[in-house]
Amino acid sequence: MVRKIRKAAVIGSGVMGGGIAGLLAGTGIKTLLLDIVPFDLKDDEKKDPAHRNRIVKAGMDAVTKSKPPLLMDKKDLDLITVGNLEDDFDKLAECDWIVEVVVENLKIKQELLKKLEKIRKETAIVSTNTSGIPLKKMSDGLGTEFRQHFLGTHFFNPARYMRLFEIIPGEETLPEILEFMADFGERKLGKGIVRAKDTPNFVGNRIGIQGIVKAMQLMIEDGLTIPEVDALFGPVMGRPKTAMFKTCDLVGLDIMAHVSQNTYNMVPDDEQREAFVIPEFVSRMIEKKLLGKKAGAGFYKTEKPKDKVIRKVIHPETFEYSEYEKPAFPCLAKAKKEKGLPAKMKAVVYGDDKGAGFAWKVMANSLIYAANRIPEISDAVVEIDNAMKWGYNFEMGPFETWDAIGVKASVEKMEQDGFDVPENVRKMIEAGHTSFYKTENGKVFFYDFESGDYKEIVVSDNIISLNILRRVDKVAKTCGSASLIDLGDDVFCCEFHAKMNAINKEIVEFMADGIDYVDANAAGLVIGNQAGGMPGAFSAGGDLFYMGSLAQLGRFSEIDAFLKMAQEVVQKARYSSFPVVAAPYGLTLGGGCEVCLGAADKIVAHAELYMGLVEIGVGLLPAGSGCLNLWKKFVNSVPESVTGYDLGKFFIPVFMNIAMAKVSTSAADARALGFLGPNDRIVFNRDHLIGEAKKDVLKMVDEGYAPPVRRKVKVLGESAQGMINAELFNMLQGKFVSEYDVFLAKRIAYVIGGGDARDGSEINEDVILKLEREAFVDFWKQEKTHDRVEHMLKKGKPLRN
């Protein structure tokens, strides 16, 4: 039997349930979202569907209005049907997967599952998103067939953005059901799958909450401040910028405390049970409704008097908020000078100042706790590491971190400091194994405590790791900012690895050489990279510092030469004898967007794609062929048999994309904006991106790829200016744009329109490319552009002047 999920149902329309429904709809699955009928209906409301569906309607309204958006495209709403658990319960019989996300109450869940058992079709999968109630208790008294199709599927909130997807088997769950849901979750939903056991809070929250609460306890014990803890356990340790306390503010102190208390209640034999007891001051904050971002104040709060932004932190003893300075410890200063995360970590945990001492105690405690949880919560170190990377956005999980700081050296220090090193780790070291991971012949292995040996990490055939290929000498060419990596089957990958993967001169020159290399030695090319973190940056734009330095010195001819070289490289890739596929994800802005639009025959994009030509924000315009190729993307979508169409209908959205610096909120939105065309593909799992792009290259080769023919481009011509003048006037009057924005926008319209060309005429591509360069150079001669660029480089956000 080929199992498919044609229709799904989510029961419970709160933040999590609504988010899951939005995610499923975003993947194209028809979804039924149900919730209870309100208890307080008046007699005249009891027969009114609108009132009976009031709760689920409120849930969907919250999903629709959420920021950041939980829907990838507002059209996804068309795939979601709402209803209630009385009038629409029978509709569940049509569903292939039913996931319950109701209140964390055992009796309520048991009653719901009993009703589902009577109505579900024979093949339907039923899962729970509980994080604290044992599946065994939930399914108690239900039939064998139901229990064979019942499991836990634990999403992290928000479901669209958080990658972790914990799969928890019940005592009788069929292996084929577990395999199907793991494959479905990875391939269709784009999640990272962690196989957990039916233990309290599973893997991610069991490890994550223990680490946070223990750090709070040690902070009070050692006399550190909240900002000091966040400085020590932020990016320098491979953690998100939100570190510990800002993360709690985002999640909500009440939710964090609930998970912690729930774990404490259910793990009476845990050797660190007391590490789940939140400090008294946090309990007091919850009583005072200082719950974090949703309450406007938590550990931190932001005040905005006039044009200033003042960030304050709470004092644990007085509960008063005050401004704070950036913490300074010698270990942090040393870490800043180090290159690479392992070296930075070592600088902190092996330092000799107060901050280092605290960081070491927190780190050692968390590593020991993770090791002691095997095999209780999971059988493998890799599951725990993945849970922390995908659920908490760590760059490294506990065991990868242990490798990074040195297993043998750290264990020796633990023993010196009186820590109780886990027996499984002692045995590993005594057997001569000093790392939890190793790479051999292009394969990654993890240390298995049970067998006392290493086992290969088995991953999907769709996953290609550029890091592993680099380790096994598959790099054909490289420089400081880019590499050309052999993906096998005569396909190469041009990988950017500059800061934020910004397109600089070195990358442009490298791409030119790389195209020649592929032309002589291979069948096709993928343009992609695998920068860590989410959403990450395929390329966050162009090298503003380089061009700004040239402009400051008045070396405008060099700027023009650089642009011409960049344009020629993009055109060279586009008209090369081999297929090129771009694989963008995350931030794909400015120059990164231009590479995708111009150099590639096809784009295979990750679902979380924030793509746009944003140059006007720094007083410039796309001049690496962006104006030309976005215009071509639109007009080339019209079949040649269609004649007499209105070019203005294409011109306005192209112009607005560039002049308003529109950035997609997802790959689906990028398609709606026109950055992705009908032949481009969307992939939900970022780990599959390079592999899927390679497949498309090989498919084009197999189909007898022929490069596109360079043809003239039809343009709007002189009419372009007239089309946008009235619109710009209205926007200026409404203060949506500044006078300088209007100045820039008029020149942008001139470029896209083909300059002084006649209306509807056809011109060579080089004409628009030349117009791009001329406008770009002229803009650099404007003082306000320099102000915008300086502001962006200093503040990281655009200036409206």
Side-chain angles (χ1 to χ4, degrees):
M1 181 185 80
V2 177
R3 187 176 292 276
K4 297 179 181 177
I5 294 179
R6 302 174 184 85
K7 187 173 184 179
V10 180
I11 303 176
S13 63
V15 174
M16 178 61 84
I20 294 171
L23 172 67
L24 294 174
T27 67
I29 296 172
K30 293 179 181 178
T31 304
L32 176 65
L33 180 64
L34 303 181
D35 213 316
I36 61 172
V37 175
F39 296 116
D40 58 350
L41 292 181
K42 299 174 183 176
D43 289 341
D44 60 339
E45 296 174 337
K46 289 180 179 178
K47 293 185 179 180
D48 184 347
H51 286 288
R52 293 177 69 79
N53 288 337
R54 191 171 67 208
I55 292 175
V56 72
K57 173 67 164 51
M60 277 314 301
D61 287 346
V63 169
T64 305
K65 297 173 183 176
S66 66
K67 291 184 180 180
L70 295 179
L71 295 171
M72 293 189 175
D73 190 328
K74 288 188 177 180
K75 293 178 184 176
D76 295 342
L77 288 170
D78 297 340
L79 290 171
I80 301 175
T81 303
V82 299
N84 65 71
L85 285 167
E86 293 179 18
D87 306 326
D88 304 290
F89 197 80
D90 290 349
K91 294 178 182 177
L92 293 167
E94 307 166 3
C95 298
D96 303 296
W97 177 27
I98 303 167
V99 54
E100 72 80 8
V101 200
V102 301
V103 63
E104 287 285 89
N105 179 292
L106 177 59
K107 185 178 179 182
I108 291 174
K109 288 182 184 288
Q110 285 176 331
E111 290 175 354
L112 174 62
L113 294 181
K114 285 177 184 176
K115 291 177 68 177
L116 288 175
E117 183 179 29
K118 296 174 183 177
I119 198 171
R120 62 172 281 275
K121 61 182 178 181
E122 186 179 352
T123 58
I125 296 168
V126 179
S127 70
T128 173
N129 191 65
T130 185
S131 60
I133 300 176
L135 274 66
K136 182 179 180 180
K137 290 185 178 181
M138 267 193 263
S139 60
D140 187 40
L142 298 176
T144 299
E145 186 183 355
F146 184 93
R147 292 199 301 270
Q148 288 176 338
H149 291 77
F150 178 64
L151 73 156
T153 52
H154 186 222
F155 290 86
F156 268 49
N157 190 42
R160 170 183 166 181
Y161 298 99
M162 297 305 293
R163 194 170 169 209
L164 178 58
F165 187 50
E166 294 176 315
I167 289 182
I168 307 96
E171 286 189 326
E172 298 179 47
T173 313
L174 293 172
E176 56 263 35
I177 297 296
L178 296 171
E179 290 304 318
F180 171 79
M181 288 306 297
D183 176 71
F184 176 82
E186 179 181 295
R187 186 172 41 82
K188 187 73 174 179
L189 302 182
K191 300 302 181 185
I193 309 301
V194 165
R195 306 292 187 105
K197 295 186 179 183
D198 192 10
T199 57
N201 287 308
F202 312 129
V203 178
N205 280 337
R206 181 73 175 274
I207 300 295
I209 293 297
Q210 188 275 343
I212 289 173
V213 177
K214 186 65 178 180
M216 290 178 177
Q217 295 173 349
L218 290 172
M219 176 189 78
I220 296 171
E221 185 180 304
D222 284 13
L224 269 73
T225 67
I226 289 171
E228 285 175 339
V229 173
D230 275 354
L232 289 163
F233 282 91
V236 72
M237 286 288 200
R239 310 285 181 90
K241 290 181 180 179
T242 51
M244 289 191 180
F245 287 95
K246 288 175 185 173
T247 294
C248 290
D249 277 352
L250 289 173
V251 171
L253 273 67
D254 52 340
I255 294 174
M256 182 272 295
H258 170 76
V259 174
S260 186
Q261 182 64 50
N262 177 267
T263 308
Y264 178 86
N265 293 339
M266 299 184 72
V267 292
D269 299 324
D270 191 315
E271 81 282 356
Q272 287 206 43
R273 188 187 187 202
E274 296 305 311
F276 291 97
V277 178
I278 61 172
E280 177 63 25
F281 89 90
V282 180
S283 297
R284 291 280 307 279
M285 287 178 67
I286 294 171
E287 290 173 7
K288 293 173 178 289
K289 305 298 181 185
L290 301 172
L291 304 178
K293 188 174 181 181
K294 63 186 175 184
F299 294 113
Y300 296 91
K301 76 172 182 178
T302 301
E303 296 177 356
K304 298 180 180 180
K306 296 183 179 180
D307 296 330
K308 293 181 66 179
V309 176
I310 301 174
R311 293 179 174 86
K312 294 185 175 182
V313 66
I314 199 168
H315 193 286
E317 293 180 1
T318 65
F319 297 98
E320 294 179 354
Y321 288 88
S322 60
E323 293 184 61
Y324 60 95
E325 295 181 356
K326 187 177 180 179
F329 287 115
C331 64
L332 289 175
K334 183 179 179 183
K336 190 175 182 180
K337 298 176 183 177
E338 298 288 352
K339 291 185 178 180
L341 184 56
K344 291 179 183 295
M345 286 180 171
K346 288 178 182 178
V348 174
V349 298
Y350 294 141
D352 55 10
D353 57 80
K354 182 179 180 180
F358 169 81
W360 165 249
K361 280 198 284 187
V362 173
M363 172 79 77
N365 183 276
S366 65
L367 298 181
I368 289 169
Y369 188 76
N372 280 332
R373 301 284 69 77
I374 296 175
E376 179 194 348
I377 65 175
S378 178
D379 290 325
V381 298
V382 69
E383 301 286 1
I384 292 178
D385 279 348
N386 285 340
M388 298 312 297
K389 289 188 291 185
W390 297 336
Y392 283 78
N393 290 326
F394 288 9
E395 284 190 48
M396 293 182 178
F399 298 98
E400 291 170 318
T401 297
W402 215 330
D403 279 355
I405 66 171
V407 175
K408 195 171 182 181
S410 63
V411 166
E412 288 175 359
K413 182 170 172 54
M414 288 174 184
E415 290 174 335
Q416 291 170 7
D417 294 345
F419 286 96
D420 189 6
V421 177
E423 186 63 26
N424 53 11
V425 177
R426 288 181 186 275
K427 288 182 178 179
M428 182 183 89
I429 295 173
E430 288 170 3
H433 306 299
T434 56
S435 69
F436 292 100
Y437 295 92
K438 66 178 182 178
T439 303
E440 291 180 356
N441 301 319
K443 296 178 180 179
V444 181
F445 298 81
F446 71 93
Y447 186 79
D448 176 55
F449 286 128
E450 184 178 8
S451 65
D453 203 353
Y454 289 89
K455 288 186 177 180
E456 182 184 349
I457 298 176
V458 180
V459 297
S460 165
D461 292 338
N462 291 332
I463 296 176
I464 294 175
S465 170
L466 298 180
N467 279 335
I468 291 176
L469 292 176
R470 193 178 291 107
R471 289 180 209 159
V472 292
D473 298 325
K474 292 295 182 180
V475 177
K477 295 173 68 68
T478 191
C479 67
S481 301
S483 296
L484 191 66
I485 300 177
D486 187 352
L487 301 180
D489 301 312
D490 292 326
V491 179
F492 282 75
C493 177
C494 181
E495 175 202 34
F496 306 153
H497 42 72
K499 184 177 181 181
M500 296 295 285
N501 293 324
I503 307 297
N504 56 30
K505 186 177 181 181
E506 189 175 40
I507 286 177
V508 172
E509 292 172 339
F510 183 85
M511 285 184 67
D513 291 340
I515 291 167
D516 290 336
Y517 184 92
V518 173
D519 193 27
N521 298 283
L525 179 68
V526 171
I527 302 175
N529 57 72
Q530 293 172 331
M534 291 291 282
F538 169 81
S539 174
D543 188 346
L544 284 174
F545 184 79
Y546 168 69
M547 288 179 288
S549 300
L550 292 177
Q552 290 281 2
L553 297 171
R555 292 156 64 174
F556 299 112
S557 62
E558 291 184 44
I559 294 177
D560 181 75
F562 170 70
L563 292 175
K564 194 168 190 303
M565 179 172 62
Q567 291 174 343
E568 287 173 349
V569 165
V570 169
Q571 295 289 84
K572 185 176 184 177
R574 187 70 187 91
Y575 295 109
S576 64
S577 63
F578 53 85
V580 178
V581 176
Y585 62 88
L587 297 177
T588 303
L589 306 174
C593 181
E594 290 181 293
V595 167
C596 295
L597 292 173
D601 296 280
K602 185 173 185 177
I603 298 173
V604 177
H606 183 235
E608 294 300 337
L609 178 69
Y610 313 125
M611 186 179 228
L613 296 168
V614 296
E615 285 84 351
I616 195 171
V618 288
L620 300 167
L621 88 166
S625 77
C627 293
L628 167 68
N629 285 309
L630 184 59
W631 175 247
K632 282 175 60 182
K633 192 99 180 178
F634 273 67
V635 296
N636 286 353
S637 65
V638 182
E640 290 186 21
S641 58
V642 178
T643 58
Y645 54 84
D646 183 1
L647 275 179
K649 295 276 180 70
F650 294 86
F651 179 81
I652 292 298
V654 172
F655 168 76
M656 293 299 287
N657 278 342
I658 297 173
M660 297 301 293
K662 290 186 178 182
V663 177
S664 67
T665 56
S666 66
D669 189 42
R671 178 162 280 156
L673 291 172
F675 292 113
L676 299 184
N679 295 323
D680 298 323
R681 274 207 299 142
I682 298 173
V683 173
F684 273 73
N685 194 311
R686 203 175 98 180
D687 285 347
H688 292 189
L689 204 55
I690 299 293
E692 290 295 326
K694 177 187 171 183
K695 284 182 185 177
D696 277 3
V697 168
L698 292 173
K699 186 172 183 288
M700 283 189 270
V701 172
D702 187 57
E703 292 172 349
Y705 176 80
V709 177
R710 196 185 299 247
R711 292 191 171 95
K712 290 186 175 183
V713 184
K714 183 176 280 191
V715 293
L716 193 60
E718 295 173 339
S719 297
Q721 293 295 306
M723 288 198 71
I724 57 95
N725 281 340
E727 185 69 26
L728 288 174
F729 176 80
N730 291 334
M731 292 173 73
L732 183 60
Q733 294 303 304
K735 297 184 178 180
F736 295 106
V737 295
S738 67
E739 289 187 4
Y740 194 56
D741 288 326
V742 173
F743 167 78
L744 298 167
K746 286 184 176 181
R747 186 69 176 272
I748 289 169
Y750 180 76
V751 172
I752 302 169
D756 296 323
R758 298 192 313 275
D759 296 1
S761 63
E762 294 185 342
I763 62 176
N764 290 323
E765 293 180 348
D766 289 343
V767 174
I768 298 180
L769 294 175
K770 187 170 185 292
L771 290 171
E772 285 183 8
R773 299 197 309 272
E774 290 173 346
F776 193 90
V777 170
D778 286 347
F779 288 168
W780 268 117
K781 295 175 181 176
Q782 303 294 321
E783 185 178 342
K784 287 187 176 181
T785 286
H786 284 270
D787 291 341
R788 288 192 177 195
V789 170
E790 184 178 358
H791 191 271
M792 177 61 75
L793 291 173
K794 285 184 177 179
K795 305 287 186 179
K797 54 187 178 181
L799 169 70
R800 174 66 59 81
N801 59 356

